[in-house]
Amino acid sequence: MQSIEDSEMLDVPTSTNTLSTLTAQDNLQFPKKISNGLPREPISYIKKSLGISSNDSRETSVLAKEANQLSLGSPFESSSSSDDGPAGEDYAHTEPLPYYTKKTGLCYDARMRFHTELSPPKDRSDYHPEDPRRILHIYRELCEAGLVADNSMAIPPVTPNPVYRILARAAKKTEVCLVHDDAHFEFVKSTSSMSDEELVRREKTFDSIYFHRQTYSAALLSAGAAIETCLAVASGQVKNAIAVIRPPGHHAECDTSRGFCHFDNVSIATQVVRQTYPEQYRKILIVDWDVHHGNGIQQAFESNPNVLYISLHVHENGNFYPSGPYGDLYHCGLGAGIGKNINIPWPTKGMGDADYLFAFQHVIMPVAFDFNPDLVIIAAGFDAAVGDQLGGCFVTPACYGHMTHMLMSLADGKLVVCLEGGYNLRSISKSALAVTKTLMGEPPERIAETAATRIGVETVRKVVLQQSRYWRCLYPKGELMMPGSERMHDVIRAYQSKILADSYKMINIWVFRERVSRSFEYQVLATKNYSTAVPLLVIFHDPPEVTGVPNAITNQLDLHNTWLADMSKSYIEMAVSHGFGVIDVNVPKFLTGISDEEGDPDDEALKVTEAINELAIYLYDNYIESAPPSLSNEALEQIAGVIGFVAENPIRPVSETFITDFAKWYYKRSLLFVNHSHPVWDRDKKISKKFGLLKRSHTDGINGMLLAHKPDVEEFLAKRAGLKVERPAEQDEDTIMVAGT
């Protein structure tokens, strides 16, 4: 018997049509309907549409077994000539295979634009971010792309299957009060009869809110549109849908309006669907990719085990709106809902496509498949989009399309997109267009950025470790810190102290100052001759690097496969061999009372730098020279040189605030080895002397650089100390010196 793989060698005419040609893309419109709602038409009509004659019968050998031949005739004719039984029934008398014909839905109502500021500013640049034009620009973009059949726009639809229009309606009080309390509903209702003066006075008592006499009706329409859109998908009227609505809702809490939001549209629609279809839609997934945390949605469902809420947002250690710890990764739900709340809090702005896709691939999609929802709702704020100054991130329309495409693989494709934030009119229009095209079946555009940032990877890693205790699909599992455990930098420093004490008689130098972090205790070691030896080498360095492969399940490191790289010891050995005094300062990654694991990395780096400066001044004034004072021209004469290694961190220029001609002195007495891929080498202009004398290193990583440039450092030190050091010729390397004014 021949295999299917050999079919290209068989005598199959290229003109033979197959059933695979009968797809929704063939634009075959059949007027006749049958009971299940799918279009049908007699086979003769279909064959005529495909250009197939009813008398065509072309037998072609496909598979053979012994003497029996199986033939493939016209795809619409029977494969058997027998008239007995179902097997002999002419295929032309049966119904063709069905194909999917449901459309994508769109809900939009111009009346939602009536919610405006009472006194819009004359300068258009000062308009409130939650601008009524937001939904108009999105709707117009969809029309201009040919996706909407709207004669008022005077643009005929390009696609033969435009979106199905879903009518908006005002939400009922009973629906709104599934999420909000009665007092809040009545207050928003009362704004419709308030005077302008009273509305202005009231809005000043709220958090980022403005009122208008049309606010109440627009908020009801927004919530009602979300409800109708979700019900249209849940009932099977459309395959998926997008609701272009405002005012947004995910900041509105049970008892108050917040952050441009009055009624929590997505939460209300979720509750209505669950109430209307209690058996069919028991589990609902809400994905909130608005750049701000959806505190209102989290509050509504944090105790509900049947609603999974996942939010990607900028957090900035609680300093980004809506502020506070509520959006951190440790809020995982309450009671029965524990594990059903997942926050992916970016510690800084500037996140891009690769970061969002990395979060989807490693957290959102694995958990979503595990949860297996009956319906998916996206709280689709587009304020993380490129060009939105309020969000400050760089997510492209293509990325929004890819995220939508991934979520369409859940819940049999039952997906609803509800607009939330997004305040750059062009950005939200292009992003919403990309999402709508994806919903309609068009593949998303390619992504240019594919490598997640270090901050993005670290954030997702922390979320996985936190959520892995609740989700079987997330690995590795295990606690980051078990009872009785100690930080490895303390353990390693104790080991270093023992080795350095045994090898070089180094002793601990005590740090007695409240302003200096307690983390520097036991981190400063010195040779016994540090107070008398000339020259004195002071080394500031990061903790040794520990590398290993953690267990994929438990996250534990196997000690026999874990290695410690400590290049500072070789430099101490070199200095001691030349009779130098040595003060060795180990700078921990985490400084007690200063560092914050969830803070802005740039702010944390600046705090650590300030702490190191404080420690350096303390050591100089108390252990090196009591006079002259550290911040003086006289003190500079006591320092023979400065050596540095930079792999990834920014290179900071020196300041002449306290010492005149400091930059000139620094340039003459410094030697900084900088990784070849560092951004400093991409500068078009010459580098200022304030950065010091830079030498390009062709070695990657701090430890590699320390090893490769040890001869350079030894030569520099010997020259400054008046010693003669023979350098092997083979250790010379091609370097680039860059300096300027």
Side-chain angles (χ1 to χ4, degrees), residues 638-706:
Q638 306 295 325
I639 302 175
V642 179
I643 305 172
F645 292 85
V646 181
E648 299 177 354
N649 293 329
I651 302 176
R652 304 184 185 279
V654 298
S655 171
E656 297 186 341
T657 303
F658 301 102
I659 304 174
T660 57
D661 296 327
F662 189 23
K664 184 178 180 180
W665 174 92
Y666 184 58
Y667 175 72
K668 288 183 177 180
R669 302 200 183 190
S670 65
L671 178 60
L672 274 71
F673 298 94
V674 184
N675 183 268
H676 62 92
S677 61
H678 195 281
V680 72
W681 303 114
D682 297 333
R683 298 166 66 99
D684 295 331
K685 59 183 180 180
K686 291 184 177 180
I687 301 173
S688 169
K689 290 183 178 181
K690 292 182 179 181
F691 290 96
L693 182 61
L694 307 186
K695 186 173 183 179
R696 191 167 193 164
S697 173
H698 297 286
T699 307
D700 293 323
I702 286 294
N703 280 315
M705 293 169 64
L706 286 169

Side-chain angles (χ1 to χ4, degrees), residues 112-113 115 130-132 134-135 210 218 222 244-248:
M112 287 182 275
R113 292 162 49 198
H115 165 63
E130 212 291 278
D131 190 326
R134 294 170 59 241
I135 59 173
Y210 67 79
S222 185
V244 182
I245 56 178
R246 69 171 292 272

